[in-house]
Amino acid sequence: LNHVVHNGGLYKRPFNEAFEETPMLVAVLTYVGYGVLTLFGYLRDFMRQWKIEKCQNATEREEQKDFVPLYQDFENFYNRNLYMRIRDSWNRPICSVPGAKVDMMERVSHDYNWTFTYTGKVLKGIINMGSYNYLGFAQKAGTCQEAAAKVLSQYGAGVCSTRQEMGNLDKHEELEKLVARFLGVESAMAYGMGFATNSMNIPALVGKGCLILSDELNHASLVLGARLSGATIRIFKHNNMQSLEKLLKDAIVHGQPRTRRPWKKILILVEGIYSMEGSIVRLPEVIALKKKYKSYLYLDEAHSIGALGPSGRGVVEYFGLNPEDVDVMMGTFTKSFGAAGGYIGGKKELIDYLRTYSHSAVYATSLSPPVVEQIITSMKCIMGEDGTTVGKARVQQLAENTRYFRRRLKEMGFIIYGNEDSPVVPLMLYMPAKIGAFGREMLKRNIGVVVVGFPATPIIESRARFCLSAAHTKEMLDTALKEINDVGDLLQLKYSRHRLVPNLDRPFDETTYEETED
Amino acid sequence: MDIKRVKDYIYWLYYQYLLISCSYVLEPWEQSMFHTITVTVFAMVVYTAYVFVPIHVRLAFEFFSQIFGGQPDSTV
């Protein structure tokens, strides 16, 4: 079943994204599993209420028993009765730099994950497939660390003020000029926290009377920022340009709901790489739509900056587009640059406006100087301005690792979501017991993975998410792949029936055939 | 050696049953309760099949052979 989309030649390279359908038997068994857990959850809640069993989770105080209940909704039920049982796969304390290999503190639980105790042993050299360390800049030795240490001895660690008051260091100005040059925009501004960049700046850009068109699977920071702004929010289906166009047409034709006045602004919120699906936004089509309907585009490149594109400049460079077409380019320094914080880039008037009106600029403390120096050094390394080719080599290593890892996993027979070029690799698990089992079995084999379930994903589509890094060598990837293969056989995770629905964008007249890459 | 392989295989099947039915995450007493219920239901299904299925199959066979065969078992 080949799905061919004629796109008028907007894409300069093949766009291979595939989301294999859930096998029917697996879906039915997953629901059966959740049904069993729900029944046992009700049983345990009944026992807790009638004091047959000690209640160890949060409950209202005696004086509040007559008020509206705080802990009755499904999320808390799920939390008490499923999440607690497999909680040992999350919040694992690490005690070294989260590079390609990491050390973890071992912990055991004697009361089924309600409390943990540390045995004191440290598990060393666990291959880290969970950190957002795309270019391998999470290091404790090297040029970045030395530069950051020098700045630390010069400026100290704390800034003790907001950007508007006394917290605007010359380092911040230098960083912002560098970020603007890196992205190819006129001007940029950096903030202390990536989540706060989204949630505090979208309210400054849009308000009541504006329309926000947001992707179905946008990150919580974008959703929070959109809700805080007070604008009307409409959701379009994930990466579905027909759905977006329909919403744009309806918005232009019908205007605001009651008064039929035209919308003051229409803002489209998309992300570069969606971290739960591993899919890449269809940016050429979004920009074409934006220009046709005269709306604005806010692109959140949290995971794609540094990770996509031949020189690491993000999803705009990956598609070969002009950075000036994107009105607001937002990103974070947390993932590829090994630091913390976020930035917004765009036209000079926009950034000057944000300097005064953004909540984050006015009320939040600015970036800490050693962190700024880490970003500056890593960005110069990626651009090649430090005189070496280390940055370029890392970007290419990441691309090779991505292609190799994804190809091998698909060959083994796992269901992998997402685009061929995205370094985020979700491997579907589906059944709730396999979430806990996968995390534990991989840790036994010295590989640290992140498993995700409800509420971050739909309830039957739980997955294990691998984040590849330029710091992973081929040997590490081979070890990891061998262990994943073993665990996949042990837990029967190889669901794929190779019935891929690849979205190959080619004009009608070309024949489509199976592409084999070597 | 063969016995060990068979035992490992049976243990692996049991592990799959635990994973699919989500009793892998339950506490031991909950697991015992769940296994008891499952085994009881399964035993009842097997018993019902043993008692009723042969009779139903024989009756259905007679019904269809009457239609197609045409020779009635005449009541003489």
Side-chain angles (χ1 to χ4, degrees):
Chain A
L1 188 69
N2 275 342
H3 180 207
V4 177
V5 170
H6 183 53
N7 57 9
L10 285 172
Y11 289 85
K12 301 185 181 83
R13 58 192 294 162
F15 187 84
N16 291 334
E17 208 163 82
F19 297 94
E20 190 171 334
E21 233 181 55
T22 312
M24 177 62 83
L25 179 64
V26 173
V28 166
L29 290 175
T30 313
Y31 281 121
V32 162
Y34 274 111
V36 167
L37 282 173
T38 314
L39 287 175
F40 275 100
Y42 281 132
L43 173 70
R44 296 294 292 270
D45 274 351
F46 174 78
M47 286 167 57
R48 281 187 202 114
Q49 199 190 9
W50 286 91
K51 307 278 190 298
I52 305 175
E53 185 194 351
K54 186 163 93 84
C55 184
Q56 278 162 315
N57 62 307
T59 41
E60 296 97 328
R61 297 201 322 257
E62 273 308 311
E63 301 86 39
Q64 293 172 324
K65 284 279 190 223
D66 292 325
F67 294 1
V68 172
L70 286 173
Y71 304 109
Q72 294 279 54
D73 52 351
F74 181 66
E75 279 212 23
N76 288 106
F77 176 83
Y78 173 87
N79 197 35
R80 282 195 296 273
N81 297 310
L82 175 60
Y83 177 70
M84 278 297 168
R85 296 186 197 268
I86 50 177
R87 195 163 76 120
D88 56 314
S89 299
W90 290 284
N91 291 10
R92 290 185 188 142
I94 62 176
C95 46
S96 76
V97 66
K101 292 206 173 169
V102 73
D103 302 336
M104 256 185 231
M105 308 230 13
E106 195 187 26
R107 53 184 188 165
V108 291
S109 172
H110 298 288
D111 53 355
Y112 302 104
N113 293 345
W114 287 97
T115 57
F116 290 104
T117 47
Y118 295 105
T119 59
K121 186 160 152 266
V122 171
L123 305 166
K124 288 197 178 295
I126 296 183
I127 298 182
N128 186 359
M129 305 292 293
S131 290
Y132 304 132
N133 183 19
Y134 297 128
L135 292 178
F137 281 112
Q139 296 164 307
K140 56 182 183 187
T143 41
C144 297
Q145 179 265 343
E146 284 159 20
K150 202 151 103 36
V151 164
L152 180 65
S153 57
Q154 208 180 342
Y155 288 84
V159 185
C160 306
S161 184
T162 67
R163 281 300 288 277
Q164 252 202 359
E165 295 170 10
M166 284 280 277
N168 193 15
L169 306 176
D170 57 345
K171 280 277 162 212
H172 293 130
E173 304 277 332
E174 186 190 339
L175 171 66
E176 288 174 0
K177 291 202 186 63
L178 183 63
V179 169
R181 223 162 28 126
F182 181 71
L183 298 170
V185 292
E186 282 180 25
S187 171
M189 183 167 177
Y191 302 93
M193 185 176 158
F195 190 99
T197 312
N198 272 333
S199 49
M200 297 293 122
N201 285 307
I202 297 178
L205 294 172
V206 290
K208 266 180 94 142
C210 303
L211 176 65
I212 291 183
L213 298 174
S214 144
D215 190 294
E216 209 179 11
L217 298 175
N218 268 340
H219 190 251
S221 55
L222 290 164
V223 171
L224 186 63
R227 287 181 189 169
L228 277 176
S229 67
T232 314
I233 308 175
R234 298 208 177 136
I235 315 284
F236 62 93
K237 293 206 188 65
H238 176 58
N239 235 1
N240 188 334
M241 295 299 116
Q242 288 79 20
S243 172
L244 176 60
E245 180 158 21
K246 182 172 180 315
L247 283 179
L248 278 166
K249 275 192 192 155
D250 286 343
I252 305 274
V253 164
H254 297 300
Q256 298 191 29
R258 266 181 320 109
T259 57
R260 301 290 198 213
R261 289 207 197 120
W263 295 101
K264 282 200 236 160
K265 259 180 263 193
I266 302 181
L267 185 66
I268 305 176
L269 294 183
V270 287
E271 290 188 36
I273 290 184
Y274 291 90
S275 63
M276 279 302 152
E277 309 283 311
S279 52
I280 300 183
V281 66
R282 292 173 178 277
L283 198 59
E285 293 177 51
V286 173
I287 288 188
L289 280 174
K290 167 195 104 94
K291 286 184 178 159
K292 180 174 171 189
Y293 292 99
K294 302 209 177 13
S295 52
Y296 298 104
L297 179 60
Y298 185 105
L299 177 67
D300 177 347
E301 289 205 83
H303 286 269
S304 53
I305 191 78
L308 284 183
S311 65
R313 311 273 165 131
V315 68
V316 173
E317 198 201 10
Y318 175 74
F319 286 113
L321 299 166
N322 189 355
E324 303 202 346
D325 285 334
V326 180
D327 303 292
V328 188
M329 285 181 79
M330 177 264 169
T332 58
F333 301 119
T334 341
K335 279 91 183 182
S336 301
F337 301 100
Y343 65 85
I344 287 198
K347 294 258 180 304
K348 189 166 180 317
E349 296 85 27
L350 172 73
I351 302 297
D352 286 343
Y353 174 82
L354 279 180
R355 277 187 217 280
T356 338
Y357 286 92
S358 157
H359 301 267
S360 199
V362 176
Y363 297 109
T365 321
S366 41
L367 282 159
S368 177
V371 174
V372 174
E373 186 60 29
Q374 159 81 16
I375 304 168
I376 292 177
T377 325
S378 58
M379 210 176 259
K380 285 195 176 147
C381 181
I382 297 174
M383 296 205 285
E385 286 181 9
D386 59 342
T388 65
T389 53
V390 168
K392 193 135 177 78
R394 283 184 195 219
V395 174
Q396 279 167 351
Q397 177 73 24
L398 176 65
E400 265 177 47
N401 283 356
T402 308
R403 278 197 296 268
Y404 177 66
F405 197 74
R406 275 182 171 265
R407 183 174 60 86
R408 284 288 303 274
L409 280 181
K410 284 213 177 96
E411 280 167 13
M412 285 179 195
F414 294 102
I415 296 187
I416 307 288
Y417 273 12
N419 198 304
E420 293 279 314
D421 291 318
S422 106
V424 176
V425 186
L427 188 150
M428 303 307 288
L429 299 173
Y430 298 114
M431 297 180 198
K434 295 193 184 181
I435 306 175
F438 192 79
R440 287 175 201 159
E441 292 292 325
M442 293 302 281
L443 189 60
K444 270 191 224 165
R445 291 164 172 76
N446 252 7
I447 301 187
V449 297
V450 169
V451 287
V452 214
F454 182 83
T457 63
I459 194 150
I460 52 166
E461 291 172 19
S462 49
R463 56 201 76 175
R465 189 183 64 174
F466 300 106
C467 292
L468 296 165
S469 164
H472 287 135
T473 60
K474 192 150 182 301
E475 290 76 32
M476 282 189 221
L477 286 184
D478 285 334
T479 321
L481 283 164
K482 182 175 147 325
E483 301 299 350
I484 295 171
N485 197 12
D486 289 342
V487 175
D489 283 330
L490 177 67
L491 297 178
Q492 285 288 288
L493 290 174
K494 298 189 177 172
Y495 302 119
S496 173
R497 282 179 281 186
H498 295 287
R499 274 208 322 223
L500 300 170
V501 185
N503 296 326
L504 296 169
D505 287 335
R506 290 210 188 94
F508 305 127
D509 45 355
E510 257 186 45
T511 44
T512 49
Y513 49 91
E514 278 283 296
E515 250 188 340
T516 47
E517 259 185 313
D518 48 349
Chain B
M1 199 51 220
D2 253 329
I3 295 289
K4 184 168 186 323
R5 259 184 4 121
V6 169
K7 275 202 326 201
D8 279 342
Y9 182 65
I10 294 180
Y11 183 72
W12 181 80
L13 282 180
Y14 172 64
Y15 188 60
Q16 295 309 305
Y17 157 73
L18 283 182
L19 282 178
I20 292 178
S21 63
C22 283
S23 39
Y24 174 82
V25 301
L26 297 174
E27 295 177 25
W29 62 271
E30 290 170 333
Q31 273 192 0
S32 324
M33 194 194 320
F34 183 73
H35 291 330
T36 318
I37 296 175
T38 314
V39 167
T40 315
V41 168
F42 184 69
M44 289 196 286
V45 165
V46 165
Y47 177 71
T48 314
Y50 170 72
V51 167
F52 286 108
V53 165
I55 300 177
H56 281 295
V57 164
R58 189 169 62 80
L59 287 173
F61 178 68
E62 279 181 8
F63 176 72
F64 281 113
S65 71
Q66 258 190 352
I67 292 183
F68 293 123
Q71 283 95 12
D73 294 341
S74 58
T75 53
V76 171

